[in-house]
Amino acid sequence: MKKNMGIADRVIRLVIVIALLTLYFTGVVSGLLGTIFIVASSIFTLTSILSFCPIYAALGVKTCKVDFEAK
């Protein structure tokens, strides 16, 4: 599994996680929407930690720096 997420992408996802969890734990959202927020937060956290997004891989997107090999 090669990394395909850059630092900025990972930080943005973690900021979104903080926002979603804050909305859930303060009681602003609950029920089905709250459950969706928890699931989305879990997925965003996991992909940020691993620096790998399966959707990016399927679409061929990379937001990390490209490693150039010396010839």
Side-chain angles (χ1 to χ4, degrees), residues 2-4 62-71:
K2 287 189 172 188
K3 292 182 180 183
N4 62 4
K62 280 183 108 173
T63 60
C64 61
K65 291 182 180 179
V66 178
D67 295 332
F68 292 103
E69 294 182 21
K71 290 185 177 184

Side-chain angles (χ1 to χ4, degrees), residues 15-64:
V15 168
I16 292 170
V17 166
I18 292 168
L20 293 177
L21 291 178
T22 301
L23 290 173
Y24 178 75
F25 286 115
T26 58
V28 175
V29 295
S30 60
L32 179 62
L33 185 58
T35 304
I36 292 170
F37 278 17
I38 294 295
V39 171
S41 295
S42 301
I43 293 169
F44 280 3
T45 302
L46 182 64
T47 58
S48 293
I49 291 170
L50 297 176
S51 298
F52 178 79
C53 178
I55 295 174
Y56 282 6
L59 297 175
V61 175
K62 280 183 108 173
T63 60
C64 61

